[in-house]
Amino acid sequence: MRPETILVPVDESRASMQALRRAVGLAKRVGARMRIFHALVHRSDRRHADEHRLEWLDRVGEQARDLDVDYISHDEPSVFEGIAHVCEETRADLIVMGTHGGGFLASSVAETLVRRAPCNVMVCRSDASGDWPASAATILVPVDHSDNALRAAQYARELVDERDRLAFLHVVSTPDHPDVHGSEVPAPLGADPELEARIVRRTRNWLDDRDADVTAVEGDVVASILDHAQLRNAGLVVMGTKGLTGLTRLVIGSVTERITGMCEVPVLTVR
């Protein structure tokens, strides 16, 4: 289940270098091939394709001396279509990309990839903190006992080594409105002193790991995950996603998508 081919879309931004550096470290860690993709979305870019190739391969050359690295460029009608096309062409099973970098890898492209890419996606902000996978870190996996969350947990296990710590977080959503009589609804964990312990036991059974590092908290789901990632000094957050689109996404929203855009460390979404 660990990634075998990592695709890194790049532009001229700082975010690209952040993603590229982490992709190199991850490829070394899991023994994956790496493909660097530059979309030629402007006709004039064709004249500079060879320059781009030499530039990007030079940037990763020393870092990725033992890696199988290719540079790919294409004329594409849009950045997303280019990435999706090359992902299918190279049979990539993980995309690592930067966002908020000021280039074509804007947040809208990252959001589209998280929803629609044919494989898993790891998004790195240009100002992402930490240095994982170059150094050890806590890998945080929010879980809700769904099949998507279980896939994320299994994938996270493939990425960690003996130096890392794998931590699981279950968030009990706190009611944000009074009951029909106008009284405040008691917080779930406060109303039932045994609930936290039961959630931890159930999660460990669900993970088939009685020693798993599991924490149960209550509150807003997005805020709790972001706060816990900071509290645990996480180097990576791994989350399952349904890839919601259209009306379903508008009605339900996507916790994963919001975490991807707001988290201070890289977020890896698992389909």
Side-chain angles (χ1 to χ4, degrees):
M1 194 177 178
R2 62 172 49 194
E4 296 182 356
T5 301
I6 299 174
L7 178 64
V8 190
V10 295
D11 59 9
E12 312 307 316
S13 68
R14 176 184 169 192
S16 282
M17 289 307 301
Q18 175 77 262
L20 189 63
R21 178 173 60 84
R22 294 184 188 264
V24 168
L26 184 55
K28 285 183 174 181
R29 175 179 284 223
V30 300
R33 298 182 295 274
M34 198 169 79
R35 305 292 182 255
I36 301 170
F37 169 62
H38 190 200
L40 304 181
V41 293
H42 302 294
R43 187 170 298 178
S44 61
D45 285 345
R46 298 175 191 166
R47 296 175 300 175
H48 306 296
D50 288 339
E51 295 177 16
H52 286 309
R53 178 187 300 273
L54 294 174
E55 176 186 354
W56 284 106
L57 291 180
D58 181 62
R59 290 189 185 191
V60 300
E62 193 63 30
Q63 304 174 60
R65 180 179 299 173
D66 301 323
L67 292 178
D68 179 6
V69 181
D70 280 344
Y71 176 94
I72 305 166
S73 60
H74 275 280
D75 286 317
E76 299 292 346
S78 74
V79 175
F80 170 75
E81 289 181 33
I83 295 172
H85 173 76
V86 173
C87 183
E88 183 176 350
E89 186 179 76
T90 61
R91 298 184 179 180
D93 43 22
L94 176 64
I95 297 171
V96 178
M97 68 173 296
T99 187
H100 299 298
F104 70 66
L105 299 181
S107 58
S108 59
V109 178
E111 290 168 3
T112 302
L113 280 172
V114 169
R115 294 195 307 271
R116 297 175 54 194
C119 66
N120 300 332
V121 178
M122 176 174 163
V123 175
C124 308
R125 285 173 33 172
S126 59
D127 59 350
S129 59
D131 197 33
W132 189 89
S135 57
T138 295
I139 310 303
L140 179 66
V141 188
V143 294
D144 59 4
H145 302 157
S146 67
D147 289 343
N148 295 317
L150 185 58
R151 282 192 292 271
Q154 293 168 340
Y155 197 82
R157 285 194 174 105
E158 294 290 334
L159 303 180
V160 299
D161 64 18
E162 65 278 0
R163 302 172 301 160
D164 296 321
R165 184 179 183 87
L166 195 57
F168 301 94
L169 175 69
H170 182 88
V171 182
V172 180
S173 183
T174 303
D176 56 2
H177 54 80
D179 65 16
V180 293
H181 303 293
S183 303
E184 290 295 322
V185 178
L189 297 188
D192 182 352
E194 301 298 321
L195 180 58
E196 181 177 354
R198 290 202 304 271
I199 290 174
V200 170
R201 286 196 302 270
R202 180 190 173 196
T203 303
R204 286 174 174 162
N205 290 334
W206 175 74
L207 292 166
D208 194 23
D209 182 357
R210 65 181 183 180
D211 297 318
D213 180 350
V214 177
T215 302
V217 298
E218 60 187 1
D220 175 79
V221 175
V222 172
S224 297
I225 294 171
L226 295 174
D227 290 346
H228 206 71
Q230 188 173 38
L231 179 66
R232 297 297 295 265
N233 196 26
L236 177 72
V237 174
V238 180
M239 300 189 66
T241 178
K242 296 178 181 178
L244 300 178
T245 58
L247 182 61
T248 304
R249 174 173 169 262
L250 292 175
V251 173
I252 300 177
S254 172
V255 169
T256 303
E257 190 173 311
R258 291 167 64 193
I259 295 295
T260 299
M262 300 169 65
C263 193
E264 295 182 357
V265 299
V267 178
L268 197 159
T269 60
V270 178
R271 303 190 79 78

